[in-house]
Amino acid sequence: MILRDGYTPSLWQSTVQPYVSSSKPDPAATYDVIIVGGGITGISTGLMLQEAGLRCLVLEARNLCFGTTGGTTAHLNTLLDTPYSTIEKKFSATAAKQVAAASAAAIATVRRNIDQHGIQCGFKEADAYLFAQTKQQQKELADIFEATAKAGVSVSLTDAIPFPFTLVQAIKAGGQAKFHPVDYVHGIATAFEKAGGCILQECRVTALEHSPITTVTTPQGKFKAGHIVYATHIPPGINLLHLRCSPYRSYAMACLLDNEAYPQDLAYDMEDPYNYYRTQTINCVDYLIAGGKDHRTGEEVNTEHLFTELEATVRTNFNVKEVVYRWSSQYFEPADGLPYIGHLPGQPSNVFVATGFGGNGMTYSHVAARVLTDMITGKDNELSSLFSPSRIKPIAGFTEFVAHNAGVAANFAGKLFSAEKLHELVELAPGEGKIVQHEGKKMGLFKDEGGQLHAVNPTCTHMKCEVKWNAAEQSWDCPCHGARYDCDGKVITGPADHSLEQINLAALEEKARSAAS
Ligand code: FES
């Protein structure tokens, strides 16, 4: 089992052994590229660069796949979350074609890596079905169908799908796929090291210095490179991209069925948020994987209840024998629907980023690998301007984004003066966390299963928003840009790079006791 940025164990992390690196970094060397982040984006980019003849070092703060790669549901799609009708409207018909072609090329790259390096990761090609269950959804489906076909994806309309849902109509898309994402990343990590690349785990980057070669500071020493790639899901520090990406949580479960009727394809309904389904076979056991119930990070307090709701949805449609795993994970939704891949705004020209993949990280990771490899090796890539993090956003996307951020601010201000008082601490149940107020100062409090209280200053160290307790993941989550911390305030997800301040609760309780006596 590997560690992940969540308390709930995912199917993937529970069915692999930790990756053991076979390489050692050379502190005297100047690498061509240092990649920060050892998820699917970091490792696939590293492999592509290394195969292009560059010398690369991957620095991962925890273990490979600690972040969203260990918590995804691993759909490889050209039928993307942002419909081609939206891409055409917000960008252009040409852009829609480019995105479709880039997505298909990304899946082809995954397939080629698997074949070339003999990776055992349960990869299977599949069809995907996007299905409408109401007349209203059918209208939307018709628009999506037309734009998807125009973009070049192989699609057809059908009123029958190999899933047990009632529906009005569906789009069937060919050329999709599924796999075990952690087995895949471990496989390409091995290929990367065999090609001369180097991986260092448990190595958090704490600073960059540019002069003009970049020096990267970590607790394991300093390393030098000509180029830096941030593949950390969202870059650290304070950057324009934090204003262009909204963090979301998604919920997933892996179930055993009573009747062996495991669907082999991929399916998506058209609810908002939508639910998604597929099957993966691991060690000869089939698992139905279902997901959905997405919400903005930090905006839904009763995260436990969302698992109950998801399970009810799955049980309504499938003959579920047992829910074996249930987990949640985080993704970043771009303001205008397309990812940000390229030069990181505000940084020297040798610093690159890939983020804002929405729910299509498995596919966009390999789009990013291609675009970044071409940019770093000086090759033209027609996608570099489309995905440029510096692009001017269409007005519609910007308006929606501003509206969301206004919501976050109002939410924060509204809760400011309604917090509980210190003496109410004792009412916390084991496993419960909340914000309380004591002598005008707020605290984030959590009582663990052993009854011990953990207290932190709930002010996010990134840009000072107030964190919220996530009961399912036992973490403090920031609604502004998605930073997450464990119950003692240690960073588990960026962009924050400093822990929440821990509060000495014993001293406060003693003070409260003296005041009362
Ligand atoms: Fe930016 Fe918390 S993540 S303020």
Side-chain angles (χ1 to χ4, degrees), residues 17-30:
Q17 293 300 312
Y19 184 79
V20 180
S21 173
S22 60
S23 52
K24 254 192 152 178
D26 177 1
T30 297

PDB file of all heavy atoms in Angstrom, residues 17-30:
ATOM      1  N   GLN A  17       2.488  -1.834  -4.144  1.00  0.00           N
ATOM      2  CA  GLN A  17       3.580  -1.647  -3.184  1.00  0.00           C
ATOM      3  C   GLN A  17       4.220  -0.282  -3.457  1.00  0.00           C
ATOM      4  O   GLN A  17       4.180   0.200  -4.592  1.00  0.00           O
ATOM      5  CB  GLN A  17       4.643  -2.730  -3.373  1.00  0.00           C
ATOM      6  CG  GLN A  17       4.170  -4.137  -3.022  1.00  0.00           C
ATOM      7  CD  GLN A  17       3.743  -4.223  -1.573  1.00  0.00           C
ATOM      8  OE1 GLN A  17       4.461  -3.773  -0.678  1.00  0.00           O
ATOM      9  NE2 GLN A  17       2.552  -4.763  -1.333  1.00  0.00           N
ATOM     10  N   PRO A  18       4.835   0.341  -2.429  1.00  0.00           N
ATOM     11  CA  PRO A  18       5.499   1.624  -2.667  1.00  0.00           C
ATOM     12  C   PRO A  18       6.589   1.494  -3.739  1.00  0.00           C
ATOM     13  O   PRO A  18       7.222   0.454  -3.854  1.00  0.00           O
ATOM     14  CB  PRO A  18       6.124   1.962  -1.307  1.00  0.00           C
ATOM     15  CG  PRO A  18       5.354   1.163  -0.322  1.00  0.00           C
ATOM     16  CD  PRO A  18       4.895  -0.083  -1.031  1.00  0.00           C
ATOM     17  N   TYR A  19       6.766   2.566  -4.497  1.00  0.00           N
ATOM     18  CA  TYR A  19       7.806   2.571  -5.535  1.00  0.00           C
ATOM     19  C   TYR A  19       9.179   2.744  -4.880  1.00  0.00           C
ATOM     20  O   TYR A  19       9.365   3.645  -4.051  1.00  0.00           O
ATOM     21  CB  TYR A  19       7.571   3.727  -6.516  1.00  0.00           C
ATOM     22  CG  TYR A  19       8.554   3.721  -7.660  1.00  0.00           C
ATOM     23  CD1 TYR A  19       8.391   2.862  -8.727  1.00  0.00           C
ATOM     24  CD2 TYR A  19       9.666   4.559  -7.639  1.00  0.00           C
ATOM     25  CE1 TYR A  19       9.308   2.836  -9.773  1.00  0.00           C
ATOM     26  CE2 TYR A  19      10.584   4.534  -8.678  1.00  0.00           C
ATOM     27  CZ  TYR A  19      10.394   3.670  -9.744  1.00  0.00           C
ATOM     28  OH  TYR A  19      11.309   3.642 -10.773  1.00  0.00           O
ATOM     29  N   VAL A  20      10.106   1.879  -5.265  1.00  0.00           N
ATOM     30  CA  VAL A  20      11.467   2.007  -4.743  1.00  0.00           C
ATOM     31  C   VAL A  20      12.358   2.498  -5.883  1.00  0.00           C
ATOM     32  O   VAL A  20      12.498   1.823  -6.906  1.00  0.00           O
ATOM     33  CB  VAL A  20      11.989   0.656  -4.201  1.00  0.00           C
ATOM     34  CG1 VAL A  20      13.408   0.809  -3.666  1.00  0.00           C
ATOM     35  CG2 VAL A  20      11.059   0.137  -3.104  1.00  0.00           C
ATOM     36  N   SER A  21      12.927   3.666  -5.675  1.00  0.00           N
ATOM     37  CA  SER A  21      13.750   4.266  -6.716  1.00  0.00           C
ATOM     38  C   SER A  21      15.085   3.534  -6.832  1.00  0.00           C
ATOM     39  O   SER A  21      15.653   3.088  -5.827  1.00  0.00           O
ATOM     40  CB  SER A  21      13.987   5.739  -6.368  1.00  0.00           C
ATOM     41  OG  SER A  21      14.897   6.280  -7.269  1.00  0.00           O
ATOM     42  N   SER A  22      15.590   3.427  -8.078  1.00  0.00           N
ATOM     43  CA  SER A  22      16.874   2.749  -8.278  1.00  0.00           C
ATOM     44  C   SER A  22      17.980   3.754  -8.617  1.00  0.00           C
ATOM     45  O   SER A  22      19.096   3.372  -8.907  1.00  0.00           O
ATOM     46  CB  SER A  22      16.743   1.728  -9.414  1.00  0.00           C
ATOM     47  OG  SER A  22      16.362   2.399 -10.603  1.00  0.00           O
ATOM     48  N   SER A  23      17.646   5.065  -8.595  1.00  0.00           N
ATOM     49  CA  SER A  23      18.629   6.067  -9.022  1.00  0.00           C
ATOM     50  C   SER A  23      19.019   6.971  -7.860  1.00  0.00           C
ATOM     51  O   SER A  23      18.300   7.058  -6.860  1.00  0.00           O
ATOM     52  CB  SER A  23      18.033   6.912 -10.149  1.00  0.00           C
ATOM     53  OG  SER A  23      16.771   7.413  -9.771  1.00  0.00           O
ATOM     54  N   LYS A  24      20.152   7.648  -8.022  1.00  0.00           N
ATOM     55  CA  LYS A  24      20.631   8.591  -6.994  1.00  0.00           C
ATOM     56  C   LYS A  24      20.949   9.911  -7.665  1.00  0.00           C
ATOM     57  O   LYS A  24      21.676   9.937  -8.662  1.00  0.00           O
ATOM     58  CB  LYS A  24      21.907   8.035  -6.349  1.00  0.00           C
ATOM     59  CG  LYS A  24      21.702   7.495  -4.956  1.00  0.00           C
ATOM     60  CD  LYS A  24      23.016   7.236  -4.295  1.00  0.00           C
ATOM     61  CE  LYS A  24      22.748   7.393  -2.815  1.00  0.00           C
ATOM     62  NZ  LYS A  24      23.798   7.171  -1.979  1.00  0.00           N
ATOM     63  N   PRO A  25      20.439  11.026  -7.131  1.00  0.00           N
ATOM     64  CA  PRO A  25      20.737  12.304  -7.781  1.00  0.00           C
ATOM     65  C   PRO A  25      22.186  12.733  -7.534  1.00  0.00           C
ATOM     66  O   PRO A  25      22.777  12.368  -6.525  1.00  0.00           O
ATOM     67  CB  PRO A  25      19.771  13.283  -7.113  1.00  0.00           C
ATOM     68  CG  PRO A  25      19.466  12.673  -5.800  1.00  0.00           C
ATOM     69  CD  PRO A  25      19.593  11.188  -5.950  1.00  0.00           C
ATOM     70  N   ASP A  26      22.675  13.518  -8.462  1.00  0.00           N
ATOM     71  CA  ASP A  26      24.045  14.001  -8.365  1.00  0.00           C
ATOM     72  C   ASP A  26      24.003  15.500  -8.049  1.00  0.00           C
ATOM     73  O   ASP A  26      23.672  16.313  -8.922  1.00  0.00           O
ATOM     74  CB  ASP A  26      24.742  13.747  -9.708  1.00  0.00           C
ATOM     75  CG  ASP A  26      26.163  14.284  -9.725  1.00  0.00           C
ATOM     76  OD1 ASP A  26      26.608  14.837  -8.700  1.00  0.00           O
ATOM     77  OD2 ASP A  26      26.816  14.164 -10.782  1.00  0.00           O
ATOM     78  N   PRO A  27      24.354  15.897  -6.811  1.00  0.00           N
ATOM     79  CA  PRO A  27      24.266  17.315  -6.431  1.00  0.00           C
ATOM     80  C   PRO A  27      25.231  18.194  -7.238  1.00  0.00           C
ATOM     81  O   PRO A  27      25.041  19.406  -7.334  1.00  0.00           O
ATOM     82  CB  PRO A  27      24.641  17.340  -4.944  1.00  0.00           C
ATOM     83  CG  PRO A  27      24.719  15.921  -4.517  1.00  0.00           C
ATOM     84  CD  PRO A  27      24.847  15.062  -5.737  1.00  0.00           C
ATOM     85  N   ALA A  28      26.258  17.581  -7.827  1.00  0.00           N
ATOM     86  CA  ALA A  28      27.239  18.372  -8.596  1.00  0.00           C
ATOM     87  C   ALA A  28      26.765  18.604 -10.031  1.00  0.00           C
ATOM     88  O   ALA A  28      27.308  19.457 -10.735  1.00  0.00           O
ATOM     89  CB  ALA A  28      28.581  17.640  -8.605  1.00  0.00           C
ATOM     90  N   ALA A  29      25.772  17.843 -10.457  1.00  0.00           N
ATOM     91  CA  ALA A  29      25.333  17.934 -11.858  1.00  0.00           C
ATOM     92  C   ALA A  29      24.422  19.130 -12.073  1.00  0.00           C
ATOM     93  O   ALA A  29      23.783  19.617 -11.135  1.00  0.00           O
ATOM     94  CB  ALA A  29      24.588  16.661 -12.239  1.00  0.00           C
ATOM     95  N   THR A  30      24.369  19.597 -13.323  1.00  0.00           N
ATOM     96  CA  THR A  30      23.319  20.542 -13.707  1.00  0.00           C
ATOM     97  C   THR A  30      22.369  19.773 -14.622  1.00  0.00           C
ATOM     98  O   THR A  30      22.738  19.403 -15.741  1.00  0.00           O
ATOM     99  CB  THR A  30      23.891  21.760 -14.458  1.00  0.00           C
ATOM    100  OG1 THR A  30      24.769  22.454 -13.565  1.00  0.00           O
ATOM    101  CG2 THR A  30      22.773  22.712 -14.885  1.00  0.00           C
TER     102      THR A  30
END
